[in-house]
Amino acid sequence: MPNVPITVAHGDGIGPEIMAATLRILEAAQARIDVETIEIGEKVYRDGITAGIRAEAWGSLRRTKVFLKSPITTPQGGGYKSLNVTVRKTLGLYANVRPCVSYHPIVRTKHPEMDVVIVRENEEDLYAGIEHRQTDDCCQTLKLVTRPGTEKIVRYAFEYARKNKRQKVTCFSKDNIMKLTDGLFHKIFDEIAAEYDDIKNEHWIIDIGSAKLANKPEQFDIIVTSNLYGDIISDIAAEITGSVGLGGSANIGESCAMFEAIHGSAPDIAGKGIANPSGLLLGAVMMLVHIGQSDVAETIHNAWLTTLEEGVHTGDIAGDETRERVGTDGFADAVIARLGRRPTRLKAVDYDRSTSCFALPPATRRPRAAKRTVGCDIFLHDGDRTPDELGVILESLPVAGAKIQMITNRGVKVWPGGMPETFKVDHWRCRFLFDDSISNAHQAIIDLLAAIRAAGLDFIKTENLCTFDGEPGYSLGQGQ
Ligand code: NAD
């Protein structure tokens, strides 16, 4: 088999030290790879490239499709884009996979049995980055959840479970509140779970689910969830294993993948030769599995576990079990010296030789639903008027067939029949419903906007109210 080309970035802070150690271990274990090096991060940012990555680096990534990346330092201040988010979204790396494993009794933890994999959706949700300031008082961000995006991540979680002989996939969502967005995520989870009768499935509301994860993580096996929840719970899960510094993570796309440590560039210890290379090394182990070199991955992983259990530790995990305290290079030497050995106190890993990257079936596009626009929500910026004053103006707009139904403020109905106790800001959602006399809904919305403007009000956005195959595609107002 020819060597597999991979792209490597040494990153910032402790990045170059831990990458050198990791590459040395990969070489000693005879990983069948050819390394192409690119520069990313602080220096590139300082050269005025706000994305932190140069155009030519994309060429390497698109050629090799496999990226082993050290952490980088994101400069403080505005104008700099997160390199991680840029790489994930540009290369379509939709699945963030973080195994969170306890190494009891070597690394102190309250959860000795913990072995959870968090599969986080990586591209959508609140990370779409579509934010606006709409009024003096109010900013908004759009939470986007799509059927194809959710199908991909949920199916990935079940396929991962099957390939890695895992027993159960748990979905976390908040669909009791966000019935459309998180509701779609949960619904698709149920649909796809039904296709995998060999794997148990369950759903938890994210709040109680996270509490259970923090208290009894051994109850969970694989957790699949959307972007923001996944971001938060994967750090919690990594931390309660005993050390966030030991975690590796994979970002998987349909054609490309990126592997890294969970931790950052640790500028406080950069250049001291004391950083623990384990997080990046475990990221590299995931990469080896991905490129079909499970044999090498298993050799390195077991040598690393043996190093840990024999008490050769970097300072960050040193404790009662430590026999020899080493720096970054000393740790790499210790792992290399143990290649070919398996741990006896910690659980050895055995990778299925067929567990390389797996292709998901393409997302199926559903037949278009019959869509009908039955009204629209028009949002106003108004810091002066009361709900009743707004109601009087909006009731008298000269648009036949369009009738104001309600006004809400931060989602709560304040007209008609609002309560004086409700706290209000300068951001109003005004819901208009159309009767059957309106045959051209888009024209009616344009007419409404013109009338609102003529009445001296400041509209800031509209949202169409549509039914899809007769089902309302919008939520009710609170108190409606
Ligand atoms: P950090 O993870 O870099 O450091 C947190 C603490 O953990 C520090 O005390 C550090 O010394 C320690 N630590 C981290 N990794 C270690 C290791 N391998 N060995 C021993 N100790 C280790 O988090 P931070 O300080 O919040 O962030 C520093 C920089 O890293 C920031 O610029 C941030 O934007 C960036 N960052 C990058 C990534 C990435 O590139 N994937 C991820 C997170 C943070």
Side-chain angles (χ1 to χ4, degrees):
M1 290 286 281
N3 282 359
V4 177
I6 66 164
T7 302
V8 163
H10 290 256
D12 302 318
I14 60 170
E17 301 160 52
I18 59 174
M19 183 59 84
T22 298
L23 291 178
R24 216 150 53 75
I25 296 168
L26 293 185
E27 191 183 355
Q30 296 176 354
R32 300 176 291 280
I33 54 173
D34 288 331
V35 169
E36 283 184 21
T37 304
I38 61 169
E39 191 176 46
I40 56 167
E42 215 172 4
K43 179 161 185 316
V44 183
Y45 282 119
R46 300 271 181 236
D47 285 349
I49 297 161
T50 54
I53 178 165
R54 291 198 173 84
E56 52 272 26
W58 289 113
S60 172
L61 291 173
R62 294 185 61 214
R63 193 167 46 249
T64 68
K65 303 187 187 318
V66 182
F67 187 18
L68 180 62
K69 174 184 156 292
S70 261
I72 60 148
T73 303
T74 313
Q76 297 288 317
Y80 298 110
K81 291 271 187 199
S82 158
L83 176 85
N84 272 342
V85 176
T86 303
V87 172
R88 282 176 196 157
K89 294 187 81 164
T90 307
L91 298 181
L93 309 181
Y94 63 89
N96 182 252
V97 184
R98 279 193 187 183
C100 299
V101 185
S102 292
Y103 302 103
H104 174 80
I106 310 300
V107 180
R108 209 175 303 129
T109 170
K110 293 183 188 137
H111 307 290
E113 304 294 318
M114 180 170 180
D115 183 0
V116 179
V117 181
I118 311 285
V119 177
R120 161 189 168 196
E121 199 289 319
N122 225 4
E123 296 181 290
E124 309 195 331
D125 188 29
L126 288 155
Y127 288 60
I130 307 174
E131 292 199 290
H132 298 95
R133 177 168 175 181
Q134 293 192 309
T135 68
D136 290 308
D137 292 339
C138 183
C139 294
Q140 75 156 21
T141 183
L142 281 188
K143 173 172 166 115
L144 298 178
V145 177
T146 71
R147 174 169 274 278
T150 308
E151 281 183 2
K152 273 198 297 188
I153 194 67
V154 171
R155 198 173 286 288
Y156 183 91
F158 279 96
E159 285 295 319
Y160 182 96
R162 199 174 255 174
K163 297 269 183 203
N164 290 280
K165 303 193 172 39
R166 296 271 177 165
Q167 312 297 318
K168 184 171 76 174
V169 180
T170 304
C171 174
F172 280 2
S173 81
K174 187 76 183 170
D175 64 337
N176 55 330
I177 302 296
M178 283 161 280
K179 294 184 168 46
L180 292 183
T181 47
D182 281 30
L184 180 65
F185 197 93
H186 186 176
K187 180 170 179 268
I188 292 172
F189 176 79
D190 287 345
E191 284 170 16
I192 291 178
E195 296 175 30
Y196 293 82
D197 51 13
D198 50 329
I199 297 164
K200 289 192 224 117
N201 70 83
E202 62 180 6
H203 171 269
W204 286 98
I205 299 289
I206 178 77
D207 35 13
I208 185 63
S210 310
K212 286 193 175 296
L213 174 66
N215 194 32
K216 290 197 172 149
E218 59 282 358
Q219 285 185 354
F220 296 98
D221 193 348
I222 292 180
I223 297 173
V224 64
T225 190
S226 48
N227 208 339
L228 177 64
Y229 309 143
D231 195 359
I232 297 166
I233 66 162
S234 59
D235 266 29
I236 295 171
E239 177 69 20
I240 64 175
T241 62
S243 173
V244 75
L246 297 185
S249 103
N251 295 272
I252 307 288
E254 270 163 30
S255 61
C256 301
M258 173 170 86
F259 303 87
E260 59 185 341
I262 290 178
H263 62 73
S265 58
D268 52 336
I269 57 166
K272 296 185 177 162
I274 58 172
N276 187 343
S278 296
L280 185 60
L281 184 64
L282 292 185
V285 164
M286 295 171 87
M287 177 192 78
L288 290 168
V289 173
H290 178 81
I291 61 176
Q293 297 185 22
S294 300
D295 52 338
V296 189
E298 190 175 295
T299 302
I300 294 176
H301 204 153
N302 282 327
W304 177 78
L305 289 165
T306 309
T307 307
L308 277 196
E309 74 172 18
E310 292 188 351
V312 184
H313 297 160
T314 45
D316 55 309
I317 57 163
D320 297 345
E321 293 278 335
T322 304
R323 303 278 164 274
E324 188 187 349
R325 199 174 162 133
V326 289
T328 314
D329 287 342
F331 188 81
D333 292 339
V335 174
I336 290 168
R338 287 164 180 78
L339 289 170
R341 292 181 50 198
R342 288 168 69 85
T344 52
R345 291 166 68 204
L346 293 173
K347 193 163 160 257
V349 293
D350 292 291
Y351 285 108
D352 182 341
R353 294 295 183 262
S354 68
T355 313
S356 58
C357 60
F358 43 87
L360 301 181
T364 47
R365 191 169 272 280
R366 306 204 140 200
R368 280 185 145 184
K371 178 173 132 179
R372 211 162 78 83
T373 304
V374 296
C376 80
D377 282 344
I378 298 181
F379 292 75
L380 303 180
H381 176 185
D382 195 300
D384 304 322
R385 294 174 179 85
T386 65
D388 285 344
E389 287 167 345
L390 285 173
V392 167
I393 298 173
L394 297 174
E395 264 188 320
S396 60
L397 294 179
V399 181
K403 189 167 182 308
I404 178 82
Q405 186 202 24
M406 66 166 177
I407 303 173
T408 68
N409 195 289
R410 297 189 306 163
V412 183
K413 191 180 77 157
V414 291
W415 183 92
M419 307 245 188
E421 291 80 5
T422 306
F423 181 75
K424 293 178 269 300
V425 297
D426 61 358
H427 183 266
W428 310 88
R429 184 261 305 261
C430 309
R431 174 158 292 180
F432 291 86
L433 292 184
F434 301 158
D435 67 23
D436 290 342
S437 67
I438 288 189
S439 56
N440 184 343
H442 288 88
Q443 188 57 52
I445 295 168
I446 293 166
D447 293 346
L448 273 173
L449 292 178
I452 284 173
R453 194 66 205 123
L457 298 176
D458 177 10
F459 64 79
I460 48 178
K461 103 174 187 149
T462 65
E463 291 283 356
N464 293 5
L465 304 178
C466 300
T467 59
F468 291 82
D469 291 333
E471 290 275 317
Y474 49 91
S475 57
L476 297 179
Q478 285 153 2
Q480 192 184 359

